[in-house]
Amino acid sequence: MSAILLEPRRDSDRFGGISIPVHKDASTASTTFHSIANLQTFLSPPEGRSKKRFSPHAERKLGETEVSYFLPSRESGVNDMYLHLGCRAPPHLVEHRRVALVWAIMRIRHPLLASKVKMTTYEDVSFAYDAPLSPNEALSLANRCLNYGSQSKDELIDGYLNGPRTLSNDCLSYLIVSKSELSEGADQNYDFLICATHFLGDGMALHQFANDFFGLLGSTLDQDSLADKLSVEWSERCSSSKETSPGLPSAMEDRLPPAPSGRFAQLASRVDFNLSQQKLIGGHSFPRRSGGSRQTVVPTISLDRDTTKLILKNCKGRGVSISAALFAICNIAWARTHSQGWELPTMIYSALNMRPNLMADKRLNDSYWFLAIGYFNVVLPTFLPQSGDATSTFWHRARSAKIQSAKAAKSLMGVSRCREMANERGARARVWAKEDDILAAGIIINNTPPPATTSIAPSKPKIASKALIGLSLLGNLDGIYKHPTFPDIKFHTLTTGSRQRSGGMLLFGYTFAEKLWVSFGYDENGFEEDTVKRFWKNVIDTVNEFLVPK
């Protein structure tokens, strides 16, 4: 990972104090898109509220992994996540007040969504949560992070990825609902954009949240019943009459099984981590270009249901998952894109779900909103055989990716490596954040290297350790989304990703609505255009050539 160079900041923005942008159609949303009998009562805080708060308050420090995502996000929202869901639904299920009630209920259930971030030093960064004083205030606060609009799907995603930052230290989650045009029939087309900072949670949390959100939104409960449910949830979780204050889910590092306390065991863990990192050999990366501002694009393909069924059957017959096959897809596509340096392997990185390794946390309640990921790499040969059947090569590499992925997930040293990586990422993020803030303050950094020292030990040859691309493997999302619980809401599109740094690139693969989806998010101003476009074409061609049975 290379250092992050951010644009200069104003002193007032130094610690990420960025306000939420006002959407241009927000002022007309109430008249063009929904009807509320008494909008003032709906949005206003409760009457007679004291200036001094007496509601329950909770704080906790960010863990090292959370810090590694928070610090680079301060300037322009790097890694801020989004989940777009397109659906058809009857208008009464998507009325503003109904959506706001469900949004408020979910924010009470998952307090990190309604928290803020306080930073005093690089080592002292905390989540702070003030429980709402009443159900009415919970609704009012939820509405501040809810917007109705009329943008198309592409406009929503492009605005979130490339426009002003939507989130901030005071608004860690945001919901946008849009209807760009009227459709024939009773049901209308809607686009939902669920936004959250990455240091708040991961993809597992985001999709489980969406399932639960739409389970409430598409339920048979009317708005009065949802309002009653909000009152009950508030009483159980936020009322000042409770004996205990609301708790925030602990950081991942605090929930990993405790590390051995002996000095030898700690040293062994560090040595194992260093040795595992030295095995990561990769000699390929996309050629870069610089000069333009970041412009993220997300070309996406989906395969129809019948084709997807054939692909799933084909992968099962070969003994691999689609996730393992996608490593081989990228590997073969790159070899067909770039014909040089085949003697060096290709390395591809991905995230590792650490939730199965975490200890129970009584403060968690039923909240799954927390960040719990590690990292692993798959290394595959780059060369392609000059003769013979390319199909056997592809499936052999898919099985190799499966073995490497399983080894990373089941390793006895997986927890200690995760902890060491978290510490390293946190320390690295603090160094880069200090450099960013010094540059923002207009201070020149002396980067003159220290004088070389003479050593009698022979120097080790430098081994290439470059990753070609990152894969976000979401698996079968139909296993998370319980469509029968919201039968009147018919999903047809799902797209997910995050705001990237300049030169960012990530490929997503998942099944949803019984279709296989592959999307490619990258900064089109950060890479050589011809190479990236040829690679994406080769990805599509490789999917059709190897995954779709002939």
Side-chain angles (χ1 to χ4, degrees):
M1 181 178 289
S2 59
I4 304 167
L5 299 179
L6 304 181
E7 296 178 358
R9 281 181 286 242
R10 301 186 302 273
D11 288 343
S12 60
D13 288 341
R14 183 166 181 174
F15 293 134
I18 304 171
S19 60
I20 304 169
V22 177
H23 296 266
K24 62 183 180 180
D25 53 355
S27 60
T28 61
S30 61
T31 56
T32 61
F33 195 47
H34 63 279
S35 176
I36 299 173
N38 191 336
L39 189 62
Q40 185 63 37
T41 302
F42 179 50
L43 297 179
S44 298
E47 294 182 5
R49 172 177 167 179
S50 169
K51 293 182 179 180
K52 187 176 290 186
R53 295 190 63 96
F54 295 101
S55 62
H57 176 83
E59 287 192 19
R60 78 154 171 85
K61 291 187 67 173
L62 272 65
E64 291 299 285
T65 303
E66 292 166 339
V67 165
S68 73
Y69 280 97
F70 165 72
L71 288 174
S73 76
R74 299 173 302 152
E75 173 64 20
S76 60
V78 169
N79 291 317
D80 285 356
M81 302 184 297
Y82 78 90
L83 171 58
H84 165 265
L85 287 154
C87 67
R88 293 189 63 82
H92 75 272
L93 289 183
V94 196
E95 289 181 359
H96 189 141
R97 187 170 188 271
R98 182 180 183 87
V99 171
L101 284 165
V102 174
W103 181 229
I105 291 169
M106 298 300 290
R107 283 162 53 93
I108 285 179
R109 288 181 180 177
H110 304 285
L112 280 182
L113 291 174
S115 296
K116 300 179 180 180
V117 172
K118 300 194 311 182
M119 177 175 175
T120 55
T121 68
Y122 299 103
E123 286 72 30
D124 185 11
V125 187
S126 299
F127 288 116
Y129 175 65
D130 287 308
L133 292 169
S134 67
N136 190 43
E137 185 182 51
L139 193 58
S140 176
L141 293 172
N143 262 284
R144 296 180 189 178
C145 298
L146 169 63
N147 175 252
Y148 267 60
S150 58
Q151 301 101 319
S152 67
K153 166 207 162 188
D154 291 340
E155 290 170 338
L156 279 175
I157 295 175
D158 180 70
Y160 184 79
L161 292 177
N162 300 308
R165 188 186 184 192
T166 301
L167 305 175
S168 71
N169 286 358
D170 294 329
C171 178
L172 305 185
S173 63
Y174 202 79
L175 175 62
I176 302 173
V177 185
S178 184
K179 185 175 73 171
S180 57
E181 57 186 24
L182 288 174
S183 305
E184 294 183 2
D187 292 352
Q188 298 294 307
N189 192 73
Y190 300 94
D191 291 291
F192 287 78
L193 199 71
I194 304 171
C195 315
T197 63
H198 207 332
F199 56 86
L200 205 66
D202 47 40
M204 294 295 293
L206 192 58
H207 290 287
Q208 186 60 56
F209 173 86
N211 174 72
D212 294 349
F213 176 89
F214 285 102
L216 270 178
L217 190 67
S219 68
T220 57
L221 296 176
D222 60 20
Q223 292 190 22
D224 289 340
S225 298
L226 287 172
D228 291 340
K229 191 171 188 63
L230 174 60
S231 295
V232 171
E233 296 272 357
W234 176 85
S235 297
E236 292 178 350
R237 302 170 188 267
C238 304
S239 174
S240 57
S241 62
K242 282 187 60 181
E243 294 182 0
T244 57
S245 61
L248 299 177
S250 300
M252 176 187 71
E253 294 81 6
D254 294 333
R255 296 184 59 202
L256 291 171
S261 57
R263 179 173 175 79
F264 178 78
Q266 294 176 0
L267 181 61
S269 295
R270 186 63 192 174
V271 170
D272 167 76
F273 175 75
N274 290 336
L275 290 175
S276 69
Q277 294 297 296
Q278 291 174 13
K279 295 178 182 178
L280 302 178
I281 303 173
H284 294 265
S285 60
F286 283 86
R288 295 178 177 270
R289 65 177 181 178
S290 59
S293 59
R294 183 199 72 229
Q295 182 67 30
T296 301
V297 294
V298 194
T300 302
I301 63 167
S302 66
L303 288 87
D304 62 65
R305 289 175 173 83
D306 291 338
T307 302
T308 297
K309 287 180 181 178
L310 293 174
I311 290 174
L312 290 170
K313 184 178 180 180
N314 192 23
C315 287
K316 185 178 181 179
R318 302 281 186 168
V320 300
S321 65
I322 286 182
S323 294
L326 282 171
F327 282 102
I329 291 287
C330 291
N331 173 253
I332 300 295
W334 175 250
R336 291 176 171 179
T337 301
H338 191 76
S339 59
Q340 299 177 349
W342 278 13
E343 70 279 4
L344 292 172
T346 300
M347 183 166 67
I348 301 169
Y349 70 90
S350 189
L352 188 64
N353 177 20
M354 296 302 296
R355 290 171 187 255
N357 302 97
L358 302 184
M359 299 184 298
D361 181 5
K362 63 181 180 180
R363 288 171 292 182
L364 195 58
N365 297 321
D366 55 355
S367 180
Y368 39 73
W369 263 108
F370 54 89
L371 181 61
I373 56 174
Y375 308 90
F376 74 100
N377 297 268
V378 166
V379 178
L380 298 171
T382 304
F383 69 88
L384 293 178
Q386 297 301 309
S387 61
D389 184 12
T391 300
S392 60
T393 298
F394 171 82
W395 290 111
H396 175 75
R397 293 185 184 179
R399 285 188 288 272
S400 176
K402 173 188 174 181
I403 292 170
Q404 293 181 57
S405 301
K407 185 177 180 180
K410 298 177 181 179
S411 171
L412 295 176
M413 302 300 291
V415 170
S416 66
R417 290 175 186 173
C418 177
R419 185 179 287 108
E420 293 289 343
M421 177 58 80
N423 291 335
E424 183 172 295
R425 285 174 58 88
R428 188 189 305 156
R430 289 183 178 91
V431 171
W432 292 342
K434 292 175 184 177
E435 292 179 356
D436 294 337
D437 292 337
I438 289 172
L439 289 172
I443 302 172
I444 299 176
I445 304 175
N446 182 6
N447 286 323
T448 304
T453 57
T454 303
S455 173
I456 60 174
S459 60
K460 295 182 180 180
K462 189 173 182 181
I463 301 174
S465 186
K466 296 184 291 186
L468 174 70
I469 194 173
L471 280 186
S472 180
L473 304 172
L474 302 174
N476 179 21
L477 293 179
D478 288 324
I480 296 178
Y481 290 87
K482 309 302 181 185
H483 300 279
T485 64
F486 38 87
D488 293 331
I489 298 177
K490 307 294 185 182
F491 288 123
H492 52 72
T493 309
L494 184 152
T495 312
T496 189
S498 60
R499 283 173 66 96
Q500 296 179 334
R501 61 175 56 86
S502 295
M505 178 181 286
L506 199 60
L507 190 138
F508 296 82
Y510 50 91
T511 52
F512 178 74
E514 300 179 339
K515 298 179 182 180
L516 172 62
W517 302 73
V518 182
S519 64
F520 184 34
Y522 68 95
D523 174 16
E524 66 177 355
N525 291 333
F527 299 95
E528 186 180 276
E529 181 180 7
D530 179 65
T531 301
V532 173
K533 289 190 173 181
R534 283 190 292 115
F535 171 77
W536 177 235
K537 180 181 182 301
N538 285 332
V539 166
I540 298 172
D541 291 345
T542 306
V543 167
N544 290 320
E545 179 179 352
F546 297 114
L547 293 189
V548 182
K550 302 298 185 286

